[in-house]
Amino acid sequence: MPLRVARLALSLPLTAIALNFASPAKAASFAGANAEAQLFNFNVAALSTNTFADTDAFSNSGDFGAVLNFNDANITFLQDPARLDNVVVGTSEGSGTNYLGRTEGSTEALGQFRVDDLFSFQFDTGLDLAYSIDDPIKESAEAAGALNLSLFSSSEPDQLGALVDQFSLTGNVSTDGKDFLNLSSSPNFSFALEDCPAIPSESCRLRTENEISGQAFANIGGIYERQFKAPSYLTLIETKFSGTLVQVPESSMTLALLLGGATLLWKRHD
């Protein structure tokens, strides 16, 4: 089956902002994280849908510092026809000699379906992470993001059942060099031809430059299809996380450990 996916309109604005901040004329640090997803063209309507979104921000600066945080989380999950749209975005900007800025955002979507045989949908996902600093000795910055899709199957309508398929996209860029961009999925997720089965590729890149700036982005879409041998009740859970951090002086605070939070939220439903 040819893959004809309506691509996300990702122009990577966070990368552009980070490159603008990476200038000797600006004594400032910046971190931005954007994670988004669209699931559409489901072959069956959803029996029910639920959504959750949460954001949190923290800032602290002394007499010679300033911090500006922004974060937002939006999510909708239509039942018939089934369609999921959500985005989590956060940015932190700091300047001066003493400051700390942090944002965290997450969304969770749960949809329940009943199928007699085939279950399918199309998906588009995007992850855009970037940071920049002026002074690598004094300043530090980090951007992190994660997206996870999990499908469970049961013969009973009131049970979560067994995990049958999963898709995961995670990334992190930071001044301490802990940079990664990871993609994993089960075989029933088929990617569009231009998308990356491995990183780096045309649509998945990771780049850092002398601790002054870093970026990671992925734009991945395709089709999910699975044939079930008997009538089944399916639970589709999508979780998403984004986080940013800027600080002077540098401390042990990090976002990396928070990446697992979005991918584990489904356990609340067990």
Side-chain angles (χ1 to χ4, degrees):
M1 177 182 295
L3 300 182
R4 298 179 180 177
V5 181
R7 312 300 298 161
L8 281 173
L10 281 180
S11 57
L12 306 178
L14 298 179
T15 300
I17 295 172
L19 294 177
N20 183 55
F21 265 75
S23 167
K26 296 178 181 293
S29 55
F30 169 84
N34 180 85
E36 57 185 297
Q38 298 174 354
L39 276 60
F40 53 100
N41 286 347
F42 286 81
N43 69 318
V44 294
L47 297 176
S48 64
T49 60
N50 289 283
T51 60
F52 170 82
D54 185 47
T55 60
D56 183 49
F58 174 81
S59 63
N60 185 30
S61 60
D63 294 336
F64 301 99
V67 174
L68 178 62
N69 288 324
F70 169 81
N71 61 340
D72 191 22
N74 288 297
I75 182 169
T76 59
F77 201 165
L78 302 180
Q79 190 171 341
D80 187 12
R83 181 184 175 94
L84 171 64
D85 294 272
N86 61 1
V87 60
V88 182
V89 61
T91 60
S92 294
E93 304 172 26
S95 62
T97 59
N98 185 9
Y99 59 83
L100 187 151
R102 186 192 74 237
T103 69
E104 298 171 20
S106 62
T107 61
E108 180 182 17
L110 185 150
Q112 295 181 314
F113 302 83
R114 185 191 182 280
V115 297
D116 293 322
D117 41 38
L118 177 68
F119 182 61
S120 67
F121 60 86
Q122 289 180 253
F123 63 93
D124 251 323
T125 65
L127 190 63
D128 180 11
L129 312 173
Y131 77 85
S132 71
I133 59 172
D134 179 58
D135 188 343
I137 297 178
K138 298 178 181 179
E139 302 170 358
S140 61
E142 184 175 7
L147 184 151
N148 185 79
L149 286 171
S150 300
L151 183 69
F152 299 83
S153 175
S154 173
S155 59
E156 300 296 331
D158 56 348
Q159 296 181 3
L160 183 63
L163 177 65
V164 293
D165 281 303
Q166 195 165 33
F167 169 94
S168 177
L169 176 63
T170 60
N172 191 86
V173 290
S174 65
T175 50
D176 64 6
K178 296 178 181 178
D179 304 327
F180 62 86
L181 184 61
N182 295 330
L183 167 67
S184 64
S185 68
S186 49
N188 290 305
F189 287 91
S190 300
F191 300 138
L193 294 179
E194 69 269 26
D195 283 331
C196 52
I199 297 169
S201 73
E202 186 65 26
S203 58
C204 298
R205 298 178 184 175
L206 175 67
R207 184 177 71 186
T208 58
E209 183 178 349
N210 299 325
E211 298 182 342
I212 297 297
S213 65
Q215 59 175 297
F217 70 86
N219 189 7
I220 302 170
I223 293 176
Y224 172 83
E225 288 186 335
R226 187 183 183 100
Q227 196 79 28
F228 292 86
K229 297 180 179 180
S232 303
Y233 290 92
L234 307 180
T235 301
L236 177 66
I237 299 177
E238 191 254 23
T239 57
K240 190 178 285 81
F241 168 82
S242 74
T244 61
L245 176 67
V246 294
Q247 54 187 336
V248 171
E250 186 176 2
S251 72
S252 60
M253 182 173 291
T254 180
L255 295 169
L257 293 178
L258 297 175
L259 282 175
T263 61
L264 295 177
L265 282 176
W266 58 264
K267 287 189 175 180
R268 296 184 307 167
H269 300 279
D270 245 343

